[in-house]
Amino acid sequence: MNSYFTALNIGSRQDKFYIMGSASFLNVDNYLSSRKFDRTPLQPSLERVNFKFMDVRLSAKFGYTPNKTDEYSFSIISQNADKDIASAIYLG
């Protein structure tokens, strides 16, 4: 598999407030099939045809802790994925 993953997490806490953020990125360019796989005209090599994807995720959280028992927070998450999935059918 030809891929890579990276992530970053960061945060800060003050007296009654805190902030956290994270970002991650996953990219997969190809995937190898088993050597026992019977190749077809649509899948001529061990490297899977039309198999790659990319995934990006961002998140943030803001919080307020007025005392030891209460917490109020606001969170936001964004995720975007792009997938290249095989759609051809071989009836040969």
Side-chain angles (χ1 to χ4, degrees):
M1 182 180 290
N2 184 12
S3 66
Y4 59 90
F5 174 77
T6 187
L8 172 69
N9 297 304
I10 191 166
S12 177
R13 178 166 173 83
Q14 302 303 314
D15 185 34
K16 294 187 179 205
F17 296 92
Y18 65 88
I19 184 170
M20 299 185 309
S22 69
S24 66
F25 181 76
L26 171 64
N27 188 55
V28 176
D29 286 330
N30 62 39
Y31 178 82
L32 296 178
S33 298
S34 168
R35 294 190 189 280
K36 295 179 181 180
F37 176 73
D38 293 329
R39 294 175 183 91
T40 67
L42 293 176
Q43 183 61 58
S45 70
L46 290 179
E47 189 176 301
R48 282 272 315 256
V49 175
N50 293 331
F51 182 88
K52 61 180 168 179
F53 60 90
M54 186 249 335
D55 187 78
V56 177
R57 182 176 176 163
L58 304 170
S59 68
K61 183 176 181 180
F62 307 95
Y64 173 61
T65 53
N67 56 52
K68 293 185 180 202
T69 60
D70 296 332
E71 175 182 350
Y72 304 95
S73 66
F74 174 76
S75 299
I76 186 166
I77 298 172
S78 173
Q79 186 166 3
N80 186 13
D82 184 20
K83 300 184 186 309
D84 184 12
I85 299 172
S87 61
I89 299 174
Y90 177 66
L91 300 175

